[in-house]
Amino acid sequence: MECTRCGACCVAPDIAALNKPVGLRCPHLTDDNLCAIYERRPQICRDYAPDEVCRMIEAPTLEERVRKYLALFGLEAEAQTVREHGCRSMRAARRLTAK
Ligand code: SF4
Ligand code: SF4
């Protein structure tokens, strides 16, 4: 599976090493969906490899791909909470969504 540099994996999942909440663009993702800190990106980003999820979330726009990713992993409610609260921190988002 080839990475198409669609950007979805830098937007949809939360990333603890960056304190990035679910569903929000990583602040290091450039407008053309490249990593602005590629040489010093965290290990989790280095280890990420394209897999069947990339194929499952294929869609014409990044927004749609992110939506499909969130649906696939049941993260829509958490992402909505993050959006509603303008939450920029993963740890704060986790507290907000903790049951
Ligand atoms: S979601 Fe998959 S195809 Fe898209 S940038 Fe990430 S690894 Fe590449
Ligand atoms: S640090 Fe770079 S590779 Fe990692 S999520 Fe952000 S933009 Fe993507």
Side-chain angles (χ1 to χ4, degrees):
M1 174 84 206
E2 282 272 306
C3 173
T4 60
R5 297 184 176 171
C6 79
C9 60
C10 301
V11 179
D14 52 12
I15 302 175
L18 296 163
N19 196 18
K20 179 195 117 28
V22 79
L24 293 189
R25 285 181 78 86
C26 171
H28 305 297
L29 189 64
T30 65
D31 288 344
D32 38 5
N33 290 342
L34 297 176
C35 179
I37 58 161
Y38 190 77
E39 296 299 328
R40 55 190 176 89
R41 70 199 187 286
Q43 193 62 42
I44 186 79
C45 303
R46 290 170 195 271
D47 293 343
Y48 199 91
D51 59 15
E52 69 277 8
V53 170
C54 306
R55 210 188 322 271
M56 291 165 82
I57 62 168
E58 272 174 356
T61 66
L62 177 56
E63 197 184 4
E64 272 178 74
R65 287 191 291 276
V66 168
R67 200 160 40 235
K68 285 171 96 167
Y69 183 107
L70 296 174
L72 194 61
F73 291 100
L75 294 168
E76 295 135 308
E78 191 176 334
Q80 191 176 346
T81 304
V82 166
R83 278 197 305 276
E84 281 170 4
H85 290 265
C87 198
R88 308 297 304 176
S89 145
M90 184 194 96
R91 283 181 278 278
R94 285 277 169 89
R95 280 197 296 275
L96 279 171
T97 53
K99 304 231 163 46

